[in-house]
Amino acid sequence: MNSSSDLRIACVMVGLPARGKTYIAYKVSRYLTWLGINTKIYSVGNYRRKMAGLNLPHTFFDPHNAEGVKKRHEAAACALNDMIRFFELENGTVGILDATNSTKKARAWINETLTKRNIQVLFIESVCDDENVIMHNIKDVKLSSPDYNNRDPQEATDDFMKRIKHYEEAYETVTEENLTFIKLINVGSQYIINMIRGYLESRIVYYLMNLHTRPKRIWFSRHGESLFNLEDKIGGDAGLSPRGEQYALRLPELVRQNIGDRPLTVWTSSMTRTIQTARHLDFPKKQWKALDELDTGVCDGMTYDEIANKYPDDFARRDEDKFNYRYRGGESYRDLVLRLEPVIMDLERHENILIISHQATIRCMYAYFMGLSHEQLPYARIPLHTIIELKPKAFSCEEKLYKVDVGSVDTYRPKGQTARKLKDDKFVDGKAVSSEGASGEIVDDKTPILPIKPINIAHTC
């Protein structure tokens, strides 16, 4: 992934411990990486652990502890230098410095070091005085960190609270008018923005204003088995098969057993099979055209056998680069990610959403939450007749699968599989006969999916 641009932005986290900085940093990184923007996180805490060791007492973080202050600054300097090398040697576009950066002196040093290298600096401060949120962050993230390996949870909590007190003693909130910053207050209840410059910074800020750090879950389900699934046809607007209808009938009970009585909202695509799957669910529903299946263009309604026969070169090229391959008159996975970006924004804003959609569409959203690469994304397993529950956390995303006992075909096609035929609800290798050649194209993968600068349109007189 390259930006093909000299634009470089350092997102510098600011905030007391347990305010959700690491969660925000990882979410921003996953979002930008999902959009093809070369992004990397530099955690000063990891550098400090390598340099000063684990299980440090809370007194190490006392601002009056000269040796502790010195070692923490050395760790910050190492992280900052590595981030600069990322920009200069790895064609990085966005680097994220994850640390407290809690004093004006520290921020001035970071800003001066980066700006003299023509790197834009965006400070992201997370402010929170909600004790419930703070305690949740401590238990959910901090107690599982290497700093507290094999420590009694209560003892570790007490120690960490003392660590916070040390940081509070020296903490200075961002008020510097010469800095570019966004301040997120109490889990997104208020924002303060200063001197945002340029298109990509604006996109990052817009994302942050849609992001909430409170715990949440998201649920996905493909439509019930369709008539086209039975025939191994792609695209189209087929209705449900008899087994797909059974899944639709049993879906309300599957939801009740595993999601409970949460006030769900159901999002579907505009296609028949998702609407039919959702029709027995007694929840508010919203149709999104953006949730429609990947547009397969001239191959719409064809089987994989037919595509392999009619367009053998395409069949091979798509297998070579499935993420960037675009059907003639249709879409690539790359295009689908861009189409789904507004849906992701809405998902980050809302809670208790069940999305009923399609294999490729869910793969793209699943990859965003799970941090999958563009190479992994088109091969994510999204089985029929299953609810996928995702619970985003600071460093990862927990996944649970809830299945219903209704059979279905396995539509998964592994890399390298040629034409295929159905056997015992699984598609196995078949034999293809070459014919016409190619119809689609491999999209350039050297530029980000989301433009990092506005697109200039030339006007002629």
Side-chain angles (χ1 to χ4, degrees):
M1 291 182 299
N2 289 304
S3 66
S4 66
S5 166
D6 58 359
L7 177 65
R8 302 179 298 179
I9 297 175
C11 293
V12 180
M13 305 306 300
V14 179
L16 290 166
R19 265 59 178 184
K21 297 186 303 300
T22 297
Y23 178 86
I24 293 167
Y26 274 82
K27 290 294 286 189
V28 170
S29 177
R30 287 192 194 116
Y31 169 70
L32 295 175
T33 301
W34 184 68
L35 290 170
I37 296 169
N38 194 5
T39 305
K40 195 168 182 180
I41 295 174
Y42 294 85
S43 168
V44 173
N46 289 340
Y47 286 81
R48 183 255 303 160
R49 281 185 277 272
K50 288 178 184 176
M51 297 171 69
L54 302 175
N55 299 313
L56 295 169
H58 66 84
T59 52
F60 178 84
F61 302 92
D62 188 330
H64 305 292
N65 180 339
E67 184 63 22
V69 170
K70 180 179 177 229
K71 288 184 177 178
R72 287 189 285 132
H73 179 75
E74 288 172 354
C78 284
L80 191 62
N81 287 334
D82 281 353
M83 185 167 72
I84 291 168
R85 279 192 284 272
F86 164 69
F87 286 126
E88 295 180 346
L89 303 179
E90 300 177 42
N91 201 23
T93 300
V94 177
I96 302 174
L97 188 66
D98 183 18
T100 55
N101 299 311
S102 54
T103 65
K104 292 181 179 180
K105 181 180 177 181
R107 293 192 290 270
W109 164 65
I110 292 168
N111 191 59
E112 181 183 354
T113 302
L114 294 171
T115 54
K116 72 181 182 183
R117 289 173 170 81
N118 199 31
I119 299 167
Q120 294 180 22
V121 185
L122 169 61
F123 289 93
I124 302 171
E125 182 178 16
S126 181
V127 178
C128 181
D129 57 15
D130 186 325
E131 292 298 328
N132 291 329
V133 173
I134 294 168
M135 287 306 300
H136 177 272
N137 288 340
I138 290 173
K139 292 176 180 177
D140 192 46
V141 180
K142 298 302 179 183
L143 299 190
S144 60
S145 83
D147 284 339
Y148 292 106
N149 275 347
N150 304 316
R151 293 277 293 272
D152 174 75
Q154 188 56 53
E155 177 190 327
T157 301
D158 292 342
D159 182 85
F160 194 78
M161 293 300 289
K162 290 174 183 174
R163 184 191 298 191
I164 292 174
K165 290 293 183 186
H166 292 310
Y167 275 102
E168 287 175 341
E169 187 177 345
Y171 189 78
E172 297 172 293
T173 190
V174 179
T175 56
E176 300 95 312
E177 293 183 358
N178 65 311
L179 299 183
T180 295
F181 67 82
I182 175 172
K183 188 177 298 196
L184 298 84
I185 301 171
N186 285 331
V187 201
S189 63
Q190 185 182 355
Y191 307 94
I192 299 173
I193 299 170
N194 188 64
M195 266 180 33
I196 302 303
R197 302 157 298 175
Y199 182 73
L200 184 54
E201 276 190 10
S202 298
R203 295 299 305 181
I204 294 169
V205 167
Y206 179 62
Y207 174 76
L208 289 168
M209 292 176 70
N210 284 278
L211 183 65
H212 295 290
T213 59
R214 59 179 174 265
K216 67 189 298 181
R217 289 176 172 83
I218 302 102
W219 295 275
F220 296 105
S221 172
R222 286 176 68 183
H223 54 78
E225 180 187 75
S226 74
L227 294 170
F228 266 25
N229 290 149
L230 292 174
E231 300 176 66
D232 204 23
K233 290 182 177 179
I234 63 174
D237 195 21
L240 298 180
S241 72
R243 293 191 297 190
E245 291 284 5
Q246 287 182 50
Y247 178 67
L249 285 167
R250 295 180 63 174
L251 186 56
E253 180 61 18
L254 186 65
V255 168
R256 189 192 67 77
Q257 288 177 352
N258 297 290
I259 300 178
D261 57 358
R262 290 179 173 88
L264 281 181
T265 299
V266 178
W267 295 355
T268 72
S269 74
S270 67
M271 308 192 87
T272 300
R273 52 195 183 273
T274 65
I275 296 168
Q276 288 180 338
T277 302
R279 70 184 185 275
H280 301 297
L281 292 168
D282 189 21
F283 300 108
K285 299 181 182 71
K286 177 180 179 180
Q287 290 181 24
W288 282 73
K289 181 72 176 170
L291 290 173
D292 284 3
E293 180 60 294
L294 186 147
D295 185 346
T296 52
V298 297
C299 295
D300 190 68
M302 296 174 66
T303 67
Y304 281 108
D305 256 2
E306 290 167 343
I307 297 169
N309 288 336
K310 190 170 184 179
Y311 305 119
D313 293 346
D314 264 295
F315 200 80
R317 292 177 74 197
R318 186 167 193 262
D319 200 61
E320 175 190 333
D321 190 353
K322 194 172 179 181
F323 182 81
N324 289 298
Y325 173 84
R326 178 184 291 146
Y327 288 98
R328 186 176 72 185
E331 293 177 304
S332 64
Y333 272 96
R334 182 184 181 89
D335 299 323
L336 187 52
V337 163
L338 186 59
R339 179 182 4 127
L340 288 166
E341 197 250 357
V343 178
I344 290 296
M345 288 289 188
D346 248 30
L347 264 181
E348 290 293 2
R349 260 199 314 267
H350 291 91
E351 297 180 71
N352 299 322
I353 302 296
L354 167 62
I355 293 181
I356 299 176
S357 189
H358 309 266
Q359 179 169 250
T361 311
I362 294 176
R363 276 175 172 161
C364 291
M365 294 182 285
Y366 178 88
Y368 162 76
F369 286 105
M370 298 298 289
L372 301 186
S373 69
H374 290 171
E375 291 75 22
Q376 294 169 316
L377 183 157
Y379 297 100
R381 280 195 174 271
I382 311 294
L384 287 166
H385 299 177
T386 304
I387 290 178
I388 300 172
E389 177 185 278
L390 299 182
K391 182 183 178 184
K393 300 174 76 73
F395 300 104
S396 61
C397 188
E398 291 182 0
E399 176 184 14
K400 291 182 180 178
L401 301 183
Y402 305 120
K403 298 178 179 289
V404 67
D405 187 22
V406 174
S408 65
V409 295
D410 181 359
T411 61
Y412 184 79
R413 193 176 81 85
K415 186 177 178 68
Q417 187 178 57
T418 58
R420 58 193 198 169
K421 59 185 179 180
L422 184 64
K423 182 179 180 181
D424 298 327
D425 277 343
K426 291 185 181 297
F427 289 101
V428 297
D429 287 351
K431 185 177 181 181
V433 180
S434 296
S435 176
E436 294 185 14
S439 70
E441 61 177 340
I442 300 288
V443 183
D444 178 22
D445 66 346
K446 302 302 182 188
T447 56
I449 297 167
L450 179 76
I452 62 175
K453 293 182 178 179
I455 299 172
N456 293 320
I457 301 174
H459 296 279
T460 57
C461 298

